[in-house]
Amino acid sequence: MNQTIQSRDYDSAPCASKTTERKVGPIIAGTSMALLGLSRRSKSGLALALAGGALAYFGSRRNASEDEVLAHGSVLLNCSPQEAYALYRNFEELPLIMQHLESVTKIGQGRYRWIALGPMGTSIRWDAEMVHDREGEFISWRSLPGSDVDIESAVRFQTAPGNRGTLLSAVTRMDPPAGKLKRIAAKLLNTFMIQQDLRRFKALIETGEIPTTEGQSHGPRSRMTAALRVADPTRPPKGDSEMSEVFNAKRRIA
Amino acid sequence: MKAVCWMGTNKMSVENVPDPQILNRRDAIVRITSTCICGSDLHLYNGLIPTMEQGDIMGHEFMGEIVETGAGVDKEKLKVGDRVVVPFTIACGRCFFCEQKLWSCCDNSNPNYWIAEKMMGYSPSGLFGYTHMLGGYAGGQAQYARVPYADVGPLKLPEGIPDDKVVFLSDIFPTGYFGALNCDIKAGDTVAIWGCGPVAQFAIRSAFMLGAERVIAIDRFPYRLQMAQEGGAETINYEEVDDVVQTLKDMTANIGPDSCMDAVGMEAHDDGFMYKLDRAKQALKVESDRPIVLRQCIQACRKGGTVSVPGVYSGFADKIPMGAFMNKALTMKTGQTHMMRFMQPLLDRIQKDEIDPSFVISHRVPIDLAPEMYKTFRDKKDNCTKVVLDPWAN
């Protein structure tokens, strides 16, 4: 399945490079503008996508299979790009920060085995090799043939405007295989999840800990609350139902 | 330990729950000696702010003694045995916002930031005992509480100063002061303050500290208006006048107050048509807040003046007179209080006997009576202004 990514035809895309090695870099370079452009879904939006993120646009969209997932996130860190890079580059510690990662193990020069946890005790595994590794600037890796999923990821560290620390932006693209793994993989990667992971990363690097209320005292929960907590421990369930009321109200007012 | 738990709308109960534990490196555990019911707790009691869960521990105004600290707490700043008052906003001290002293906008302290982001775009800091949207942290109407980032928030207290004088540094005194500061008071200004609850009482006194010449306070309960008068304010009982805005005009030679403060928030009362309409909308959940006071503030404020909003709003409010706001060139300032800016300076004022905050206390009761006191406080029975709970009394 990993061959698919390499056999893709990028020839007709004027800006995109032929090889995946160089693909993810441009994605991240242009993602923000491109997403802005794509979100407008109009001619001018496309123009914006082309102007700002031609590489990202073609790199990510051309010949993409329908199931391809492109997830991105960004966060402002109150530290230097070097500090951010050093914490991020320590892949083996990332499972402490990224909720869906089970483990990352070094398996050779520039190669790591990643295992992510899916729902109901399932897991997916991929071996990845470093594509770029520029200290304090840029990291990217992609999965090798024989992995459960075809996945690649890139992270960029930049000094933020106004000397306000480091702007970290991350993008991950995944082309899940058909069948059961596809459903699992789809649960593992989305923009919300990446953003949550980055917020935990930010909290850790800025404050030395990740904020939590897990394990704190509370009075008796209702049965419904308790059941929903088991189903999805990360969400305050009652909250969600009442949130929808507020959103409906907002819609009705508008 | 004993803790006051939210068990549903209009349902509070004192439950026996496990003692809190250190969950993170910079946590500390406080043995609480005094804790209060805040007017903003009534919004939760009335079920008007979303994302409460049955069993949540209430309370964000508390003080006590440190009994345990996590490994990451700077011992220079805080150690076991210190007597502290704990601010209601939780701040990490290290993010961009904390460095700007915008403590109530801390970027890291709300683990449920994403719920708040859905409603507000970005999330403010976590708060104690104030919905899961704002962190879901267990509150301080209990015998013990866990305090995250304990080397940032809690203010160490000197020996010998009684709880009653300093417990309000946890919220309402700094909040009243911040409300007055947000009025941009210049010497000789007239400030109108809607609401005469505890925050407003501190705002009245703070406005004078900051150089106001006249403070006009508006409420309907004679005992609260009297307390405002004792603080030096002129008063309007809005149930006894036809039109508050006109009355303020009459009192200020048709110029209007230089600043107007909404110290009431989302559950304002009035007897007009708009009040009934807002009330109905709130019941139908098509409007979360009743901005009756905010509307009056904007109408009444003099041209180029400032509207300060320490009153709590939670979601969406209708019919804000934006035309008046824009055309009169008004400024609005608001926010949860950036507590750590004000706690030490206000403690200094208390120590210099410039103010004794204990004047707002109307009830001191054991924690077991908290559920009844919520009702008394909500219904403004028994001249209730401020309830202080003793977590250890039987």
Side-chain angles (χ1 to χ4, degrees):
Chain A
M1 59 202 75
N2 228 56
Q3 279 74 1
T4 53
I5 190 168
Q6 279 155 7
S7 64
R8 273 201 197 150
D9 173 23
Y10 292 104
D11 286 354
S12 52
C15 303
S17 53
K18 283 186 186 178
T19 53
T20 38
E21 281 95 318
R22 278 189 250 144
K23 199 179 112 198
V24 141
I27 288 181
I28 197 158
T31 296
S32 49
M33 283 283 276
L35 286 169
L36 182 66
L38 289 173
S39 65
R40 296 193 176 174
R41 293 187 187 281
S42 65
K43 276 184 187 170
S44 60
L46 187 63
L48 187 58
L50 285 166
L55 302 185
Y57 182 68
F58 285 109
S60 65
R61 296 286 151 166
R62 275 192 70 84
N63 302 319
S65 77
E66 275 184 15
D67 302 321
E68 188 178 272
V69 185
L70 187 69
H72 64 97
S74 61
V75 73
L76 178 70
L77 309 170
N78 201 0
C79 67
S80 70
Q82 281 69 28
E83 288 168 298
Y85 167 88
L87 183 65
Y88 201 97
R89 180 62 183 81
N90 192 2
F91 292 150
E92 280 149 311
E93 299 287 335
L94 284 185
L96 295 173
I97 305 166
M98 311 208 162
Q99 269 188 332
H100 293 78
L101 279 183
E102 163 74 2
S103 68
V104 182
T105 325
K106 192 164 189 180
I107 53 170
Q109 192 57 42
R111 294 190 172 201
Y112 293 85
R113 172 162 298 164
W114 299 66
I115 298 175
L117 282 179
M120 313 294 276
T122 52
S123 68
I124 55 170
R125 179 197 62 81
W126 66 93
D127 292 343
E129 66 172 3
M130 298 297 298
V131 179
H132 295 96
D133 188 8
R134 294 203 300 275
E135 198 185 330
E137 287 177 30
F138 192 74
I139 295 171
S140 74
W141 52 257
R142 62 160 192 199
S143 57
L144 294 163
S147 299
D148 288 344
V149 286
D150 165 16
I151 184 166
E152 58 187 323
S153 181
V155 184
R156 186 174 58 166
F157 310 87
Q158 283 173 292
T159 304
N163 209 14
R164 290 184 188 175
T166 299
L167 202 61
L168 184 159
S169 16
V171 61
T172 300
R173 186 200 58 81
M174 180 175 67
D175 206 354
K180 187 167 151 246
L181 274 172
K182 183 170 127 186
R183 286 200 300 279
I184 298 169
K187 294 242 188 231
L188 282 176
L189 184 66
N190 55 59
T191 291
F192 174 65
M193 196 207 82
I194 287 205
Q195 194 61 33
Q196 283 216 313
D197 284 347
L198 291 183
R199 284 296 287 256
R200 275 192 292 272
F201 183 86
K202 172 185 163 74
L204 186 65
I205 205 164
E206 289 183 348
T207 73
E209 62 186 46
I210 296 169
T212 186
T213 54
E214 205 71 14
Q216 71 176 4
S217 311
H218 57 77
R221 300 285 192 206
S222 70
R223 270 191 215 134
M224 179 64 95
T225 307
L228 287 166
R229 278 257 181 220
V230 172
D232 188 352
T234 58
R235 281 165 188 254
K238 185 145 187 299
D240 254 12
S241 59
E242 293 196 5
M243 284 297 291
S244 65
E245 285 169 8
V246 176
F247 285 124
N248 289 340
K250 189 186 177 187
R251 213 170 299 134
R252 267 173 278 175
I253 291 163
Chain B
M1 65 165 184
K2 283 182 195 170
V4 180
C5 295
W6 188 90
M7 300 301 284
T9 301
N10 295 325
K11 260 163 61 187
M12 293 288 175
S13 86
V14 178
E15 301 281 339
N16 255 313
V17 305
D19 287 353
Q21 293 176 334
I22 301 272
L23 300 177
N24 251 334
R25 296 179 73 251
R26 290 170 65 197
D27 288 357
I29 306 292
V30 181
R31 181 190 182 273
I32 295 167
T33 52
S34 288
T35 176
C36 320
I37 302 177
C38 180
S40 59
D41 288 335
L42 296 177
H43 304 316
L44 306 178
Y45 185 55
N46 292 336
L48 284 175
I49 304 191
T51 72
M52 283 299 281
E53 268 178 41
Q54 183 189 316
D56 286 347
I57 299 174
M58 295 289 300
H60 55 264
E61 298 182 359
F62 58 100
M63 61 175 294
E65 184 187 323
I66 301 288
V67 292
E68 195 183 349
T69 55
V73 176
D74 186 347
K75 295 281 183 291
E76 297 278 293
K77 290 189 180 152
L78 195 76
K79 56 184 187 307
V80 170
D82 284 346
R83 184 164 169 250
V84 294
V85 55
V86 181
F88 74 103
T89 53
I90 302 170
C92 78
R94 314 260 175 94
C95 66
F96 170 77
F97 297 94
C98 287
E99 285 190 350
Q100 306 289 311
K101 301 203 186 320
L102 296 166
W103 304 95
S104 76
C105 301
C106 172
D107 230 357
N108 288 317
S109 61
N110 181 2
N112 299 327
Y113 72 91
W114 52 275
I115 310 178
E117 282 188 352
K118 275 189 192 169
M119 268 184 74
M120 309 179 197
Y122 299 94
S123 169
S125 76
L127 307 181
F128 287 103
Y130 214 79
T131 75
H132 286 265
M133 174 166 73
L134 297 174
Y137 288 99
Q141 285 166 15
Q143 292 179 321
Y144 294 93
R146 166 195 168 229
V147 179
Y149 310 116
D151 46 1
V152 175
L155 176 71
K156 277 200 265 191
L157 296 167
E159 290 291 317
I161 192 161
D163 278 20
D164 284 354
K165 278 194 175 183
V166 288
V167 67
F168 302 128
L169 289 172
S170 59
D171 179 356
I172 54 173
F173 186 15
T175 297
Y177 186 84
F178 182 52
L181 203 65
N182 276 344
C183 284
D184 276 341
I185 296 168
K186 292 170 193 70
D189 272 4
T190 299
V191 179
I193 299 179
W194 274 253
C196 288
V199 168
Q201 297 295 342
F202 285 113
I204 290 167
R205 283 144 184 92
S206 303
F208 285 121
M209 285 179 198
L210 292 167
E213 191 162 315
R214 289 177 81 189
V215 175
I216 303 169
I218 303 146
D219 203 300
R220 63 179 162 145
F221 296 105
Y223 72 97
R224 293 188 167 199
L225 290 168
Q226 195 192 327
M227 193 181 267
Q229 280 163 6
E230 285 159 14
E234 299 156 64
T235 56
I236 300 173
N237 184 333
Y238 70 78
E239 287 188 332
E240 289 171 1
V241 299
D242 286 338
D243 181 352
V244 172
V245 176
Q246 185 58 46
T247 309
L248 283 167
K249 270 189 175 181
D250 295 343
M251 289 172 80
T252 55
N254 257 319
I255 291 169
D258 300 289
S259 329
C260 291
M261 185 191 302
D262 174 357
V264 177
M266 59 187 280
E267 288 191 75
H269 290 83
D270 190 15
D271 41 16
F273 169 73
M274 284 307 280
Y275 168 69
K276 295 192 178 83
L277 185 64
D278 281 322
R279 194 88 207 215
K281 284 189 192 168
Q282 228 170 6
L284 293 167
K285 305 230 186 226
V286 293
E287 183 187 26
S288 58
D289 304 7
R290 319 194 278 265
I292 295 149
V293 165
L294 189 58
R295 290 181 196 127
Q296 289 181 0
C297 282
I298 292 171
Q299 290 287 356
C301 197
R302 78 149 163 83
K303 291 177 280 183
T306 307
V307 177
S308 162
V309 189
V312 171
Y313 286 88
S314 78
F316 305 98
D318 291 0
K319 305 272 188 296
I320 304 294
M322 277 314 290
F325 187 74
M326 187 272 162
N327 287 289
K328 292 202 298 179
L330 301 184
T331 302
M332 191 185 296
K333 289 193 161 186
T334 181
Q336 299 281 6
T337 311
H338 304 301
M339 293 296 291
M340 296 73 165
R341 277 195 219 168
F342 307 116
M343 292 168 78
Q344 183 64 53
L346 293 179
L347 174 63
D348 294 344
R349 284 184 191 263
I350 295 169
Q351 282 186 286
K352 282 187 229 153
D353 280 329
E354 286 177 31
I355 185 167
D356 177 0
S358 61
F359 74 91
V360 292
I361 301 174
S362 60
H363 292 70
R364 286 187 191 79
V365 298
I367 194 169
D368 300 287
L369 295 178
E372 290 103 277
M373 288 321 298
Y374 266 95
K375 196 165 187 312
T376 308
F377 188 30
R378 183 195 59 189
D379 300 338
K380 311 288 181 284
K381 293 279 161 61
D382 197 20
N383 287 358
C384 186
T385 322
K386 189 71 186 175
V387 182
V388 179
L389 306 170
D390 181 341
W392 300 93
N394 283 309

PDB file of all heavy atoms in Angstrom, chain B residues 329-341:
ATOM      1  N   ALA B 329     -19.737  57.237  21.123  1.00  0.00           N
ATOM      2  CA  ALA B 329     -18.284  57.032  21.274  1.00  0.00           C
ATOM      3  C   ALA B 329     -17.924  56.457  22.639  1.00  0.00           C
ATOM      4  O   ALA B 329     -17.044  56.956  23.325  1.00  0.00           O
ATOM      5  CB  ALA B 329     -17.526  58.333  21.016  1.00  0.00           C
ATOM      6  N   LEU B 330     -18.638  55.421  23.039  1.00  0.00           N
ATOM      7  CA  LEU B 330     -18.382  54.817  24.348  1.00  0.00           C
ATOM      8  C   LEU B 330     -17.230  53.813  24.276  1.00  0.00           C
ATOM      9  O   LEU B 330     -16.860  53.342  23.205  1.00  0.00           O
ATOM     10  CB  LEU B 330     -19.646  54.118  24.862  1.00  0.00           C
ATOM     11  CG  LEU B 330     -20.886  54.992  25.027  1.00  0.00           C
ATOM     12  CD1 LEU B 330     -22.023  54.179  25.623  1.00  0.00           C
ATOM     13  CD2 LEU B 330     -20.588  56.196  25.910  1.00  0.00           C
ATOM     14  N   THR B 331     -16.696  53.483  25.421  1.00  0.00           N
ATOM     15  CA  THR B 331     -15.697  52.427  25.551  1.00  0.00           C
ATOM     16  C   THR B 331     -16.263  51.386  26.498  1.00  0.00           C
ATOM     17  O   THR B 331     -16.891  51.751  27.493  1.00  0.00           O
ATOM     18  CB  THR B 331     -14.399  52.987  26.158  1.00  0.00           C
ATOM     19  OG1 THR B 331     -13.931  54.039  25.334  1.00  0.00           O
ATOM     20  CG2 THR B 331     -13.325  51.915  26.275  1.00  0.00           C
ATOM     21  N   MET B 332     -16.074  50.111  26.204  1.00  0.00           N
ATOM     22  CA  MET B 332     -16.504  49.083  27.155  1.00  0.00           C
ATOM     23  C   MET B 332     -15.294  48.306  27.626  1.00  0.00           C
ATOM     24  O   MET B 332     -14.451  47.910  26.827  1.00  0.00           O
ATOM     25  CB  MET B 332     -17.514  48.130  26.525  1.00  0.00           C
ATOM     26  CG  MET B 332     -18.167  47.230  27.569  1.00  0.00           C
ATOM     27  SD  MET B 332     -19.260  45.980  26.895  1.00  0.00           S
ATOM     28  CE  MET B 332     -20.540  46.957  26.155  1.00  0.00           C
ATOM     29  N   LYS B 333     -15.205  48.099  28.928  1.00  0.00           N
ATOM     30  CA  LYS B 333     -14.099  47.305  29.481  1.00  0.00           C
ATOM     31  C   LYS B 333     -14.672  46.225  30.378  1.00  0.00           C
ATOM     32  O   LYS B 333     -15.587  46.491  31.157  1.00  0.00           O
ATOM     33  CB  LYS B 333     -13.164  48.204  30.287  1.00  0.00           C
ATOM     34  CG  LYS B 333     -12.349  49.156  29.438  1.00  0.00           C
ATOM     35  CD  LYS B 333     -11.251  49.760  30.275  1.00  0.00           C
ATOM     36  CE  LYS B 333     -10.151  50.325  29.403  1.00  0.00           C
ATOM     37  NZ  LYS B 333      -9.022  50.781  30.227  1.00  0.00           N
ATOM     38  N   THR B 334     -14.123  45.041  30.280  1.00  0.00           N
ATOM     39  CA  THR B 334     -14.703  43.939  31.035  1.00  0.00           C
ATOM     40  C   THR B 334     -13.678  42.825  31.225  1.00  0.00           C
ATOM     41  O   THR B 334     -12.500  43.014  30.984  1.00  0.00           O
ATOM     42  CB  THR B 334     -15.994  43.448  30.329  1.00  0.00           C
ATOM     43  OG1 THR B 334     -16.560  42.399  31.083  1.00  0.00           O
ATOM     44  CG2 THR B 334     -15.694  42.966  28.914  1.00  0.00           C
ATOM     45  N   GLY B 335     -14.113  41.686  31.661  1.00  0.00           N
ATOM     46  CA  GLY B 335     -13.232  40.534  31.842  1.00  0.00           C
ATOM     47  C   GLY B 335     -13.362  39.949  33.233  1.00  0.00           C
ATOM     48  O   GLY B 335     -13.790  40.621  34.171  1.00  0.00           O
ATOM     49  N   GLN B 336     -13.027  38.664  33.332  1.00  0.00           N
ATOM     50  CA  GLN B 336     -12.838  38.098  34.658  1.00  0.00           C
ATOM     51  C   GLN B 336     -11.623  38.801  35.254  1.00  0.00           C
ATOM     52  O   GLN B 336     -10.696  39.197  34.535  1.00  0.00           O
ATOM     53  CB  GLN B 336     -12.581  36.583  34.586  1.00  0.00           C
ATOM     54  CG  GLN B 336     -13.699  35.774  33.964  1.00  0.00           C
ATOM     55  CD  GLN B 336     -14.859  35.534  34.919  1.00  0.00           C
ATOM     56  OE1 GLN B 336     -14.874  36.063  36.028  1.00  0.00           O
ATOM     57  NE2 GLN B 336     -15.835  34.757  34.499  1.00  0.00           N
ATOM     58  N   THR B 337     -11.610  38.957  36.550  1.00  0.00           N
ATOM     59  CA  THR B 337     -10.577  39.771  37.189  1.00  0.00           C
ATOM     60  C   THR B 337      -9.188  39.139  37.034  1.00  0.00           C
ATOM     61  O   THR B 337      -9.031  37.934  37.237  1.00  0.00           O
ATOM     62  CB  THR B 337     -10.893  39.924  38.679  1.00  0.00           C
ATOM     63  OG1 THR B 337     -12.254  40.305  38.774  1.00  0.00           O
ATOM     64  CG2 THR B 337     -10.013  40.973  39.320  1.00  0.00           C
ATOM     65  N   HIS B 338      -8.211  39.971  36.689  1.00  0.00           N
ATOM     66  CA  HIS B 338      -6.817  39.513  36.630  1.00  0.00           C
ATOM     67  C   HIS B 338      -6.269  39.536  38.053  1.00  0.00           C
ATOM     68  O   HIS B 338      -5.496  40.414  38.439  1.00  0.00           O
ATOM     69  CB  HIS B 338      -6.018  40.406  35.691  1.00  0.00           C
ATOM     70  CG  HIS B 338      -6.623  40.473  34.315  1.00  0.00           C
ATOM     71  ND1 HIS B 338      -6.806  39.351  33.543  1.00  0.00           N
ATOM     72  CD2 HIS B 338      -7.136  41.496  33.604  1.00  0.00           C
ATOM     73  CE1 HIS B 338      -7.381  39.691  32.390  1.00  0.00           C
ATOM     74  NE2 HIS B 338      -7.597  40.982  32.418  1.00  0.00           N
ATOM     75  N   MET B 339      -6.715  38.543  38.818  1.00  0.00           N
ATOM     76  CA  MET B 339      -6.587  38.558  40.280  1.00  0.00           C
ATOM     77  C   MET B 339      -5.203  38.915  40.805  1.00  0.00           C
ATOM     78  O   MET B 339      -5.052  39.702  41.726  1.00  0.00           O
ATOM     79  CB  MET B 339      -6.970  37.186  40.832  1.00  0.00           C
ATOM     80  CG  MET B 339      -8.426  36.851  40.640  1.00  0.00           C
ATOM     81  SD  MET B 339      -9.488  37.968  41.535  1.00  0.00           S
ATOM     82  CE  MET B 339      -9.124  37.497  43.218  1.00  0.00           C
ATOM     83  N   MET B 340      -4.167  38.289  40.218  1.00  0.00           N
ATOM     84  CA  MET B 340      -2.843  38.413  40.818  1.00  0.00           C
ATOM     85  C   MET B 340      -2.294  39.828  40.730  1.00  0.00           C
ATOM     86  O   MET B 340      -1.340  40.164  41.424  1.00  0.00           O
ATOM     87  CB  MET B 340      -1.881  37.418  40.168  1.00  0.00           C
ATOM     88  CG  MET B 340      -2.245  35.952  40.406  1.00  0.00           C
ATOM     89  SD  MET B 340      -3.703  35.485  39.420  1.00  0.00           S
ATOM     90  CE  MET B 340      -3.627  33.717  39.500  1.00  0.00           C
ATOM     91  N   ARG B 341      -2.885  40.675  39.877  1.00  0.00           N
ATOM     92  CA  ARG B 341      -2.480  42.074  39.840  1.00  0.00           C
ATOM     93  C   ARG B 341      -2.879  42.805  41.106  1.00  0.00           C
ATOM     94  O   ARG B 341      -2.227  43.753  41.516  1.00  0.00           O
ATOM     95  CB  ARG B 341      -3.204  42.793  38.696  1.00  0.00           C
ATOM     96  CG  ARG B 341      -2.616  42.674  37.363  1.00  0.00           C
ATOM     97  CD  ARG B 341      -3.258  43.762  36.490  1.00  0.00           C
ATOM     98  NE  ARG B 341      -3.506  43.257  35.164  1.00  0.00           N
ATOM     99  CZ  ARG B 341      -4.260  43.885  34.259  1.00  0.00           C
ATOM    100  NH1 ARG B 341      -4.857  45.016  34.570  1.00  0.00           N
ATOM    101  NH2 ARG B 341      -4.422  43.366  33.071  1.00  0.00           N
TER     102      ARG B 341
END
